[in-house]
Amino acid sequence: MYQPRDPEEPGQPESRQPAPPDASPRGRVEFTPVAGAGDAGSDAASVVPLPVDPHWVELSALVSRAEANRVEMARLQAERAVVCADALELVALRVAQRDAARPGREIGDTIPLREVLAELSAALRVGERTVSTWLGDGAALVGTYPATLEALREGRIDDRHASAIIDAGLPLSPENRTEYEALILPIAEGETAAGTRVHARLIAARLQPDIVAENQRRALTERRVRAFYLDDGLARLLLDAPAALVHGIFDRLTDMATALDDDVAVDDAGADVDGDANAEHGGDAADEAAEPDGRTLDQKRADVLCDLLLTGAPTVGADAGLGAIRATVQVTIPILTLAGLDDDPALLDGHSPIDPGTARALAAAAPCWQRVMIHPVTHEPLRLDTYRPSRRLRRLLQARDHRCRWPGCRRPARRCETDHTIAWEEGGPTCAGNLENLCQKHHTLKHASAWTVRQRGGGTLEFTSPTRRTYRNNAPPVMTGPAARPLWATYRDAIYNTGDPAPF
């Protein structure tokens, strides 16, 4: 194992942490081997010292400080979890004391719990609901997820990762939680909190498929619309509804808002033609060309939504076909689930599992299906049934990447741009092994800065920052976690009537 000359607290295991030398802020930064250092299972020979260009020394030092700060914050968050678990034990003690003082009287833990919540809320100057969440997470970490608590204490994850693990594991039975923690914790150490939450839900659904339908039935009863006042004459409308519907609504709003630009361009072209014709007769139509639409995409989406809800149709562009735009939602469904032979959950837009019944209903109403061939062991999408990739290749990349592949970015792949890892003009082929989805911001950053990307096989990307840190980004699997049984077992275990003679 290699460490900087001035070792700091360990940060993310995926990133190397060069520290600037003490002598010169513009000097050459190198790693030096530390005798006896190393983690179990690590290969010291595989770590190659990477010097940092002097131009990036200051940024490298800043990143190292930020990583050390994150580790220290995580350690304090772990201590807070233990304190909160002790607080719940104090509540249980107070309940027992009250019951012993007044035997036979039902008291429960309401008053002792309220006393603890009120005291902590006042002392820490936060709301009681926040304290209640801390108490629940602390008890879960101490009592149910000790390995997650240790990872938090060592700074390998932070409290948001821990909350994601706890929330997704709530509906699991006790016998499945140990395996669930063992599967999700290595992923959490190299993922963002949002990415961890997605993986955690998928793993929980694979370990215990019945929780998907149960969770959705419970959540469906909580659907509602709320309105809140904001500052400066604005208000906020919040809709809680089934995920397939909400994603479809947002996708249709985006397409309609984008189409407004096309309508304006057509109107401008028509105005130019009319202006040229009227100019021959002394008219002034050329001076009345429509002004360009200065609204942002978010503003257009908001305006279109208000038009649809209040008038039933978009006010601008309804006659030009804008009202005919329909939503697109990506659902990945295992073939055995689609055929009704299995109940493995489907995946909605690479984000959350949905129950098999909803998946079959969406598939039945879809105008076309796209078959994704998946590796039987790694579950990597391999093929869909070609300078620019074909539509089929872009769909394959969306099925593999789900989102922008830049570390930490969560923009959906269908809103991203396809990038050649090795540039086309440098001989890079247009194939899945040389393409990845990047949002416009990160696509521009890749080409305009010293960031580099390498394909490591199997959809895995390795990003190298200007400070010579490397960040591994694994392609999100279509289905995560071990299946209860191999897919071919469905056919092996089928019951055949041996008494029925063969027809030949």
Side-chain angles (χ1 to χ4, degrees):
M1 179 177 178
Y2 286 81
Q3 292 183 356
R5 286 202 178 110
D6 296 327
E8 300 191 17
E9 292 288 341
Q12 289 286 358
E14 295 287 344
S15 63
R16 305 186 181 103
Q17 304 176 24
D22 296 332
S24 172
R26 289 286 184 178
R28 186 181 182 88
V29 179
E30 297 180 351
F31 289 79
T32 57
V34 179
D39 298 329
S42 64
D43 185 3
S46 64
V47 180
V48 180
L50 292 176
V52 178
D53 189 285
H55 179 70
W56 300 105
V57 169
E58 290 85 353
L59 178 58
S60 178
L62 182 65
V63 174
S64 295
R65 288 169 54 197
E67 290 173 333
N69 175 263
R70 178 186 181 276
V71 170
E72 182 63 18
M73 290 177 63
R75 184 186 65 80
L76 295 175
Q77 290 161 356
E79 290 186 7
R80 184 184 67 192
V82 175
V83 170
C84 290
D86 293 342
L88 283 184
E89 291 184 1
L90 177 60
V91 171
L93 177 62
R94 297 291 295 274
V95 171
Q97 291 173 344
R98 287 175 175 244
D99 187 50
R102 300 180 181 180
R105 182 177 177 180
E106 288 290 337
I107 297 178
D109 59 356
T110 301
I111 298 301
L113 178 60
R114 288 181 180 179
E115 291 173 345
V116 172
L117 287 176
E119 187 73 26
L120 290 176
S121 175
L124 302 179
R125 294 184 290 280
V126 295
E128 291 189 10
R129 181 171 296 182
T130 300
V131 175
S132 179
T133 301
W134 290 348
L135 294 182
D137 287 354
L141 288 172
V142 172
T144 308
Y145 301 107
T148 303
L149 177 61
E150 187 62 25
L152 180 62
R153 182 177 288 113
E154 295 176 358
R156 290 180 280 136
I157 61 174
D158 60 29
D159 62 334
R160 294 173 299 169
H161 293 85
S163 295
I165 294 173
I166 294 169
D167 293 344
L170 279 176
L172 290 175
S173 58
E175 56 269 19
N176 285 329
R177 287 178 178 169
T178 301
E179 183 178 3
Y180 162 76
E181 184 182 27
L183 290 171
I184 187 57
L185 192 54
I187 297 176
E189 293 176 4
E191 265 285 2
T192 63
T196 299
R197 190 173 296 274
V198 173
H199 282 282
R201 290 173 177 171
L202 292 175
I203 293 175
R206 289 288 287 172
L207 291 176
Q208 200 168 317
D210 60 304
I211 68 174
V212 177
E214 179 184 347
N215 288 345
Q216 291 194 346
R217 281 194 299 268
R218 173 187 52 77
L220 189 60
T221 62
E222 300 175 0
R223 62 189 185 279
R224 56 180 173 171
V225 177
R226 292 167 288 169
F228 300 93
Y229 283 105
L230 300 177
D231 295 334
D232 303 323
L234 291 181
R236 178 168 295 156
L237 185 70
L238 295 181
L239 168 65
D240 296 338
L245 299 182
V246 172
H247 280 283
I249 290 170
F250 187 81
D251 186 80
R252 188 184 180 198
L253 286 174
T254 300
D255 290 341
M256 296 175 80
T258 304
L260 290 176
D261 294 331
D262 300 333
D263 293 340
V264 171
V266 171
D267 292 342
D268 289 345
D272 291 341
V273 173
D274 294 341
D276 293 339
N278 292 335
E280 299 176 358
H281 304 285
D284 58 351
D287 298 331
E288 298 179 359
E291 295 183 1
D293 193 339
R295 293 177 295 174
T296 66
L297 182 59
D298 284 334
Q299 292 169 345
K300 293 175 184 176
R301 270 194 291 248
D303 295 343
V304 170
L305 177 60
C306 292
D307 289 342
L308 288 173
L309 293 179
L310 295 175
T311 67
T315 302
V316 179
D319 297 334
L322 188 58
I325 293 177
R326 293 296 178 262
T328 300
V329 178
Q330 176 180 313
V331 181
T332 305
I333 311 173
I335 187 64
L336 294 181
T337 298
L338 188 61
L341 300 177
D342 208 337
D343 286 329
D344 283 346
L347 193 63
L348 174 63
D349 211 14
H351 183 267
S352 59
I354 59 175
D355 64 279
T358 301
R360 296 186 190 108
L362 291 173
C368 65
W369 295 354
Q370 301 167 3
R371 183 177 63 179
V372 182
M373 304 302 295
I374 300 173
H375 193 283
V377 178
T378 65
H379 294 159
E380 174 197 352
L382 301 177
R383 188 174 69 254
L384 255 170
D385 282 0
T386 34
Y387 204 68
R388 293 186 177 183
S390 66
R391 294 181 60 185
R392 289 185 177 181
L393 182 54
R394 288 198 299 268
R395 291 197 295 267
L396 172 61
L397 293 173
Q398 290 176 5
R400 183 195 71 182
D401 294 345
H402 294 176
R403 300 188 179 276
C404 170
R405 293 300 302 279
W406 198 273
C409 186
R410 305 294 299 167
R411 188 171 184 84
R414 56 192 173 84
R415 299 295 179 195
C416 293
E417 300 173 350
T418 305
D419 172 66
H420 286 76
T421 308
I422 301 175
W424 169 267
E425 56 271 19
E426 296 176 4
T430 302
C431 64
N434 190 51
L435 295 173
E436 74 278 347
N437 282 294
L438 296 177
C439 66
Q440 185 179 25
K441 179 180 67 173
H442 290 127
H443 192 182
T444 302
L445 180 63
K446 172 180 176 287
H447 290 283
S449 70
W451 279 85
T452 60
V453 184
R454 293 180 62 190
Q455 295 268 0
R456 308 299 292 180
T460 298
L461 303 180
E462 183 180 83
F463 291 79
T464 303
S465 72
T467 64
R468 311 304 295 167
R469 287 171 169 79
T470 59
Y471 303 91
R472 183 185 178 94
N473 187 292
N474 297 319
V478 175
M479 299 301 294
T480 307
R485 57 176 182 163
L487 298 180
W488 47 261
T490 302
Y491 304 102
R492 183 199 64 185
D493 298 338
I495 300 177
Y496 298 95
N497 186 359
T498 56
D500 189 11
F504 50 83

